[in-house]
Amino acid sequence: MKIGIGNDHAAVELKNIISEHLKERGCEVVNFGTDSTESFDYPIAGYKVGRAVADGDVDLGILICGTGVGISLAANKVEGAVVCSEPFSAKLSRMHNNTNVLAFGARVVGSELAKMIVDEWLDAEFEGGRHERRVNMLKEIDETGHLKIVDEAE
């Protein structure tokens, strides 16, 4: 599996830890972030990872900034990203929402918790079924800016 990873200056150390963890799992890691603690604009890394996932250059993406919020907002302009600070939400985001970009904060989670979040997310699989309909609704909003709401009684 090929995973794009992106980060800002606040997350260099955690990015390196997670990159090594991914390699230990047998993943190929493509670095779209910075390796410097000098100020770095998180939208650049968020965009690059989102674009790489959307274009199929990588299978999945992982983003890390101070909180995970800003970098995920950038990725969400291109490809859907989820911010998770604990493993359960990460797992269910894959199972129910078919997420393909994960974000978390270096100032929010420690390295061991970050590894657990990544593992639960990578090990989970999309369940489809009723969740497929909902994911398709999200795609409709992305593509058109609208959602056709059908009355359940019809």
Side-chain angles (χ1 to χ4, degrees), residues 1 12 47 80 104 122:
M1 179 176 298
V12 174
Y47 171 79
F104 48 86
L122 289 176

Side-chain angles (χ1 to χ4, degrees), residues 19-86:
S19 291
E20 284 307 310
H21 182 69
L22 291 168
K23 290 173 187 173
E24 289 170 5
R25 285 182 56 110
C27 298
E28 178 183 349
V29 179
V30 181
N31 181 13
F32 292 97
T34 184
D35 292 316
S36 170
T37 56
E38 296 295 316
S39 183
F40 182 85
D41 296 326
Y42 61 81
I44 295 169
Y47 171 79
K48 285 182 177 181
V49 169
R51 184 83 267 146
V53 171
D55 291 345
D57 297 332
V58 297
D59 300 307
L60 297 169
I62 295 177
L63 297 169
I64 316 166
C65 66
T67 63
V69 174
I71 203 164
S72 72
L73 290 172
N76 273 317
K77 303 298 181 188
V78 182
E79 187 69 25
V82 62
V83 181
C84 294
S85 298
E86 41 73 34

Side-chain angles (χ1 to χ4, degrees), residues 90-108:
K91 177 180 178 175
L92 288 185
S93 79
R94 291 275 290 160
M95 293 172 65
H96 294 182
N97 310 114
N98 202 22
T99 58
N100 53 18
V101 179
L102 171 69
F104 48 86
R107 295 176 179 148
V108 178

